[in-house]
Amino acid sequence: MPYAEVAVNAAAPIRQTFTYRIPEGMAVAAGQAVYVPFGARTLQGIVAEVTAEPRYQDARDIEAVIDERPLITPERVALAAWLSDYYLAPLFDCFSLMLPPGFKRRPQTLLQTAFWAEGAPAELSDAERAVLDALSGHEAVESEELKRALKGLRGAARAIGSLVRRGLLARSYRLARPAVQPKVVPTVTLRSTEDDARRRADEFREDGGRGLLRRAVLLDALAEEGSLPLSRARALGLTPAALRDFEADGLVLVEDVTVVRDPLAGREYARREPPALTPDQQRAVDAIIAALDRQGEDERRAFLLHGITGSGKTEVYLAAIDHAAARGRRAIVLVPEISLTPQTVRRFGERFPGEVAVMHSGLSLGEHFDMWHAVRDGRYRIVIGPRGALFAPQPDLGLVIIDEEHEWTYKQQEGSPRYHARRAAEELCRRMGAALVLGSATPDVETHFRASAKAYTLLELPQRLVRSDGGVREAPLPEVEVVDLREELKAGNRSIFSRSLARAMREALDAGEQVMLFLNRRGAASFLQCRDCGHVPECKSCAVALTYHEDEMPGGGRLVCHYCHRRYTPPATCPQCGGARLRQVGIGTERVEEAARREFPGVRTLRWDRDVTRGRDQHEAILARFLAHEADVLVGTQMIAKGLDIPAVTLVGVISADIALHLPDFRAGERTFQLLEQVAGRAGRGPKGGRVIVQTYTPDHYAIEAMAAHDYHALYAREIENRRSLGYPPFGRLVRLTYSHTGADYAYKQTVAMARRLREECARLGRPNVDVLGPSPAYVPRIRGRWRWNVIIRGDDPAAILPDEALPRGWAVDVDPVSVL
Ligand code: ADP
Ligand code: ZN
């Protein structure tokens, strides 16, 4: 079949593929990386499909294959096509998720003066003259580089264009150098036997002499290790002469060895034997394994593992992986955020030492590159990572596990494609005949709905497990007390801590137990406000109040924009009315930590939020210190809600439950419930049990009532009714279009025009089940200087009224957005 449909790595958002002819004798398959001509350039492309007939008549030839072996397997090629269709994203962007790191090479334009341009035509504009001057004396210069050199020159682009047209400048194209290569280390390898090497070493030693002694040391080291990096051999005293002699004697060989840059290298996990499973756990594992053993594509293999916090879900994952491995199948495990779940990574590492690969964006490009290739070669039984790890080239995939499946981090919310890992995993597993396990204590309402509609098989772990003398026993979930903060104010208590929480903290600390305090807002105060006119300082480029941070810098706080990270010195007087009474309003984690130290003298505190975890291993360091009981109180944002298992924590205090509750979003109640239930789940994981105190101004909100009773089903019933009456997911689907532009007026008008066009299209196609909402300003109406407006399409098939090609510049499309904000 002589034609190929190719997704091209062009900078523009192109949804469709291009047709190329496969030249005689070139082997090309779907998933292969190729070079193709594109206009005057050569670009990288991925073959989506090989066809007998051309879809476009004047097809040009593929120039060359980049890699003999297709980079992407057929099932994943099909998954990319699905992603592109479903998420309305360019196909190449979808392939990009699956390509080796550093694969993409930027197309570059080179400019060079034609040799006769030197001292040539008089009739040049100033700009044209400046361009020629900048290039004179150089070989070809990359156009971006030239523009930088001409910084600020007006009309530079036009001048270049005109010079090219007049033949005074020559333009050519190339691809930027690859950003990463395999790491190759020259290595000295022993060729003779170990015994032989030792014998020779002894001979050298007997002969004596400094140089010979050094040779003896080297041979001993080689006998011990088999091979040494050349640099280390040199450090041990290997001279060029000695190396020549060794080589001549057939003792050693110097060769280039490719080494794997493994981020887990140096972490030795001691293997931990699996515990005996409880009957509930065993039932869940059996169901998953049975699904793997059934043949055929349509067998249902997706599971919702609904287990309360601490019910032993992780043990189910581990056992399922073990069984899958016995059948020659490998696994991918997704976690919400890898740095926040060091304990989970450790548990996988301890059960399968040396067989776990981690993949995430915190790796260096080299590590990432090497892990990708090692995974593709089948070196690891398990790949573990955040959402993007779903696209790791794990062969013989039998099992995909998504832990804490309700987490919003599984949705890509920027760039393209804006996929949800859960949805994508379903599609991948179906194509690979793999089982999918979605685990959560607080399943996404949509996931649970799908389970009740039998699209997923529901597996339940209703009992919390606590380790006790070598075995395990069932334990109740921690008791929750809801404190009405209005009552505290009435009673004259102005502390951050209600009387109940203060008493409970005192008791826990006196008993030598640990406490976690949760507040979903970092910083000291939430904002500054003028007492006289009410003015709140906002970020200059984002329409959002600035957050006050105390320990930003010695000698005074800073105002920080949490969207663009810009920092400001707090004004001394109100910029609006000139008044001097600027006050800090609201609280953040910094203030909570400070209050704990003040009200409980001598208490040792630790804080865990974005502000204190800038480095790569900071999370683990804080966790280790708290586990070692170097602190009594851990104060944190939602980072402390995820999966931590710290048995000495007997009390969890929620400083304010209300922060996420009043967002104007239909998922606000669900979100609040999930967050609080997860935080609460950190208490009482040890033999002493535990309790939770939740402070709120709205104690009778359904989400808080459901959480206080640990009643997921009450929350679910309420949410499902709301969604049904409003046509929100799972009853209808949403597509959110966001337009952003620096001109406030322009942005608004574009959005109005788009909404009108969509309504007309809706009417034209006769789609009563689709409606268009908006335009409405985004929740943060301006970010980094760009105004943002949303249009929401709601209905059974909202994408149907959108055009087939990519949207115009400035528009971003989000299919199934996690929020309508
Ligand atoms: P989850 O993932 O649901 O939060 P975990 O798997 O972390 O629950 O289990 C909670 C605790 O109980 C962990 O300390 C775990 O080691 C322990 N555990 C779970 N299942 C068993 C079992 N069958 N036997 C012994 N200990 C268990
Ligand atoms: Zn900002």
Side-chain angles (χ1 to χ4, degrees), residues 475-699:
L477 276 173
E479 198 77 34
V480 180
E481 180 189 343
V482 176
V483 174
D484 185 344
L485 288 175
R486 293 168 304 189
E487 297 298 322
E488 294 298 307
L489 283 182
K490 273 189 215 152
N493 177 16
R494 309 200 63 85
S495 161
I496 282 177
F497 308 115
S498 60
R499 291 160 295 171
S500 271
L501 181 53
R503 201 178 316 119
M505 283 175 68
R506 171 85 51 217
E507 284 167 15
L509 295 174
D510 285 347
E513 296 158 5
Q514 285 180 301
V515 177
M516 280 166 87
L517 297 176
F518 169 78
L519 179 67
N520 210 8
R521 194 192 289 128
R522 58 208 166 89
S526 33
F527 48 86
L528 284 189
Q529 187 169 36
C530 173
R531 280 285 166 100
D532 297 319
C533 72
H535 174 76
V536 174
E538 291 192 344
C539 175
K540 288 205 177 80
S541 37
C542 311
V544 66
L546 294 166
T547 305
Y548 185 76
H549 284 248
E550 199 106 87
D551 56 9
E552 230 352 82
M553 270 185 159
R558 283 285 180 278
L559 290 171
V560 178
C561 172
H562 281 192
Y563 281 86
C564 73
H565 311 300
R566 218 157 125 179
R567 290 166 154 61
Y568 301 80
T569 306
T573 55
C574 174
Q576 186 161 288
C577 73
R581 305 204 303 150
L582 282 167
R583 291 290 135 82
Q584 299 170 14
V585 182
I587 49 169
T589 42
E590 279 178 29
R591 187 55 42 83
V592 175
E593 187 182 23
E594 193 186 289
R597 285 187 185 156
R598 194 176 51 241
E599 297 185 27
F600 301 90
V603 74
R604 298 165 304 163
T605 63
L606 260 180
R607 187 154 57 83
W608 190 344
D609 58 33
R610 287 272 170 242
D611 295 322
V612 293
T613 52
R614 306 234 184 254
R616 175 160 148 177
D617 296 322
Q618 291 289 326
H619 297 282
E620 250 184 295
I622 296 176
L623 173 63
R625 289 183 57 196
F626 195 57
L627 272 170
H629 212 138
E630 285 174 32
D632 312 299
V633 175
L634 178 66
V635 180
T637 55
Q638 59 190 12
M639 291 186 170
I640 65 172
K642 292 182 186 152
L644 296 187
D645 188 1
I646 303 170
V649 172
T650 56
L651 173 65
V652 166
V654 175
I655 301 298
S656 167
D658 305 336
I659 290 173
L661 205 51
H662 304 301
L663 289 178
D665 187 81
F666 72 95
R667 287 197 173 96
E670 176 185 15
R671 182 82 189 124
T672 300
F673 174 83
Q674 288 166 345
L675 206 51
L676 294 180
E677 188 62 29
Q678 295 285 342
V679 182
R682 302 313 117 212
R685 286 171 165 261
K688 288 190 180 159
R691 59 174 157 162
V692 180
I693 296 179
V694 176
Q695 307 189 144
T696 173
Y697 284 101
T698 49

Side-chain angles (χ1 to χ4, degrees), residues 13-14 20 59 76 127 165 182 295 337 431 600 607 768 778 794 806:
I14 307 166
Y20 289 92
R76 289 181 174 93
R165 267 192 309 282
Q295 305 295 317
E337 209 177 318
R431 292 180 166 85
F600 301 90
R607 187 154 57 83
R794 176 175 63 181

